[in-house]
């Protein structure tokens, strides 16, 4: 080889060496970039895992709170049912108290005003698959020949009128031995809703309320009751 050929070969090798060095630097740069991206990916994965653990923790906490809320709701429901039962029991007791308070006065009224000889408080009867309890059922034979149903309420509401009238209508079917008697009704109460007493009287029912711890009839002078 001539010196010219040798110089050309050395120059070519130098150029190749520079290109190789450039490519190696580029490769190193890319590897560094790849490493940086891998580190970033690893960081993101760690963050996602941490976020997942936090999400799981929050979901567990939410589930715990929901279970606690459900437990409290069940406890509240139980307490409401118990309170409702107690209120219902209190209403029954107050109703029994009103009946007990009214009975001596009503017995006197039934005897002196109506000539009734038989008085049966809290009279219960079963007939034809039906059951009925009367607060007071009273009757007399002979010349009087009358049956009286007394409905006693601690608080008298409008629906008590229909309730008493239905009892009067059904009495012959519930107690056939009283079927041949005239029937009248007395609606008695401690506290009356506005206008209910007047409506009861207009329906032909006697009314009674308490005065100085004694029940008295409140129907006006000359009142004519309805007889069923």
């Amino acid at each position: 080889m001539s010196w010219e050929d040798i110089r050309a070969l050395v120059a070519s090798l130098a150029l190749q060496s520079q290109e190789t060095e450039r490519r190696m630097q580029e490769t190193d740069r890319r590897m560094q970039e790849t490493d940086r991206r891998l580190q970033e990916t690893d960081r993101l994965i760690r963050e996602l895992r941490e976020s997942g653990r936090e999400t799981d923790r929050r979901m567990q906490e939410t589930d715990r709170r929901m279970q606690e809320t459900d437990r409290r709701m069940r406890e509240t429901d139980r307490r409401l049912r118990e309170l409702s039962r107690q209120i219902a029991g209190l209403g029954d007791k107050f109703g029994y108290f009103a009946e007990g308070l009214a009975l001596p006065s009503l017995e006197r009224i039934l005897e002196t005003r109506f000539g009734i000889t038989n008085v049966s408080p809290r009279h219960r009867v079963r007939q034809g698959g039906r059951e009925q309890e009367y607060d007071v059922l009273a009757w007399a034979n002979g010349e009087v020949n009358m049956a009286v149903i007394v409905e006693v309420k601690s608080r008298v509401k409008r629906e008590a009128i229909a309730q008493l009238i239905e009892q009067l209508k059904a009495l012959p079917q519930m107690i056939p031995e009283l079927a041949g008697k005239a029937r009248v009704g007395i609606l008695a109460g401690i506290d009356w809703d506005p206008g209910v007493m007047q409506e009861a009287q207009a329906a032909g029912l006697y009314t009674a309320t308490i005065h100085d711890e004694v029940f008295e009839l409140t129907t006006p002078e000359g009142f004519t009751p309805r007889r069923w």
Side-chain angles (χ1 to χ4, degrees):
M1 295 177 65
S2 66
W3 284 108
E4 291 298 327
D5 292 334
I6 293 172
R7 287 193 190 96
L9 179 59
V10 169
S12 176
L13 290 173
L15 287 174
Q16 290 180 8
S17 177
Q18 289 175 357
E19 180 63 17
T20 300
E21 179 67 19
R22 186 188 66 76
R23 290 183 177 180
M24 287 181 66
Q25 289 176 354
E26 177 65 17
T27 300
D28 184 63
R29 185 188 66 77
R30 290 181 178 179
M31 288 181 66
Q32 290 178 357
E33 177 65 18
T34 301
D35 185 63
R36 185 189 67 75
R37 291 183 178 180
L38 285 171
Q39 290 177 356
E40 178 66 17
T41 301
D42 186 61
R43 183 186 65 79
L44 290 173
I45 290 173
R46 288 197 304 272
E47 288 182 356
L48 287 171
R49 285 176 179 172
E50 183 64 28
S51 176
R53 285 194 292 270
E54 177 64 17
T55 300
D56 185 61
R57 185 191 66 78
R58 291 181 179 180
M59 288 180 68
Q60 290 176 353
E61 177 65 15
T62 300
D63 184 62
R64 185 191 65 78
R65 291 182 179 180
M66 288 179 68
Q67 291 177 355
E68 177 65 16
T69 299
D70 183 63
R71 184 190 67 78
R72 290 183 179 180
M73 288 180 68
R74 289 197 301 269
E75 177 64 16
T76 299
D77 184 62
R78 184 190 67 79
R79 291 183 179 181
L80 285 172
R81 289 197 303 270
E82 178 64 19
L83 181 60
S84 177
R85 186 186 65 79
Q86 292 176 358
I87 290 173
L90 184 62
D92 290 341
K93 290 179 180 179
F94 191 48
Y96 298 155
F97 168 76
E99 292 172 20
L101 185 64
L103 186 59
S105 306
L106 291 172
E107 286 181 332
R108 175 181 52 81
I109 292 171
L110 289 167
E111 180 182 356
T112 60
R113 180 72 176 267
F114 299 96
I116 297 297
T117 55
N118 302 285
V119 178
S120 177
R122 300 191 65 78
H123 189 96
R124 182 176 298 175
V125 61
R126 294 182 180 90
Q127 184 71 252
R130 294 177 58 188
E131 180 176 329
Q132 178 66 57
E133 182 175 301
Y134 304 96
D135 292 341
V136 180
L137 177 63
W139 67 94
N141 302 317
E143 187 177 342
V144 176
N145 199 33
M146 177 186 294
V148 181
I149 297 177
V150 184
E151 181 70 18
V152 182
K153 301 288 188 184
S154 56
R155 182 179 182 87
V156 188
K157 299 181 179 180
R158 185 164 285 103
E159 52 264 30
I161 299 173
Q163 179 184 349
L164 179 52
I165 291 175
E166 180 58 32
Q167 291 178 10
L168 289 162
K169 289 179 178 179
L171 185 62
Q173 290 76 42
M174 297 303 297
I175 309 178
E177 53 267 40
L178 298 180
K181 301 183 184 302
R183 287 158 278 146
V184 299
I186 301 176
L187 187 56
I190 296 176
D191 187 26
W192 292 71
D193 279 0
V196 174
M197 185 178 294
Q198 291 75 18
E199 290 185 30
Q201 294 169 3
L205 300 172
Y206 284 99
T207 56
T209 192
I210 193 167
H211 179 70
D212 292 335
E213 299 184 0
V214 176
F215 272 84
E216 297 177 350
L217 291 178
T218 55
T219 42
E221 192 71 27
F223 173 76
T224 301
R226 178 179 176 183
R227 292 173 179 261
W228 277 264

